[in-house]
Amino acid sequence: VSKHDRDLCAVDAEGRFTSKVPPLQGIKVKETDKLVITMLKDLGCLQQHGNIVHSYPFCYRSETPLIYKAVPSWFVNVESIKSRLLAHNTQTSWVPAFVKEKRFHN
């Protein structure tokens, strides 16, 4: 893995493993739990197996389990352009007007 590797995640937009994990390719992540345990056991890499009761994130609309997925992202160094942003803020017509002073004034 390098700093410039853009394809780190082995899970596609549908929540299925990609060709980066051939034995699991095409299978939804949450459907592979038992298979992964079996694979680790067969490889002699399973240290311990058990169940832990804990809360898990679910989509509030579809009530399906969510997964945390690495995706490419970018960030703006706002501090380096803060003075320009504040100058342009004075020239912007905000709707509703109170947003200018209450939300973006500093």
Side-chain angles (χ1 to χ4, degrees):
V1 176
S2 74
K3 172 175 148 178
H4 303 290
D5 188 354
R6 298 284 182 207
D7 193 22
L8 294 175
C9 190
V11 178
D12 67 17
E14 300 298 318
R16 298 176 190 278
F17 281 104
T18 67
S19 60
K20 287 188 164 208
V21 189
L24 305 175
Q25 184 176 357
I27 305 172
K28 288 196 172 204
V29 171
K30 291 304 293 172
E31 295 172 2
T32 62
D33 293 350
K34 289 180 182 176
L35 182 56
V36 169
I37 291 166
T38 300
M39 290 169 63
L40 291 171
K41 189 175 183 180
D42 291 347
L43 292 169
C45 297
L46 185 64
Q47 298 296 315
Q48 182 178 354
H49 175 237
N51 293 318
I52 299 173
V53 178
H54 62 91
S55 62
Y56 193 86
F58 283 80
C59 175
Y60 69 94
R61 292 176 291 197
S62 65
E63 297 182 3
T64 56
L66 298 174
I67 58 171
Y68 293 100
K69 181 180 170 193
V71 295
S73 59
W74 56 272
F75 301 90
V76 175
N77 183 356
V78 176
E79 290 298 319
S80 69
I81 58 172
K82 181 178 178 180
S83 60
R84 289 177 47 211
L85 291 171
L86 291 173
H88 286 285
N89 184 44
T90 62
Q91 301 167 22
T92 302
S93 175
W94 292 96
V95 177
F98 71 84
V99 173
K100 179 178 185 176
E101 296 300 324
K102 301 285 184 191
R103 178 73 175 102
F104 295 107
H105 72 287
N106 62 354

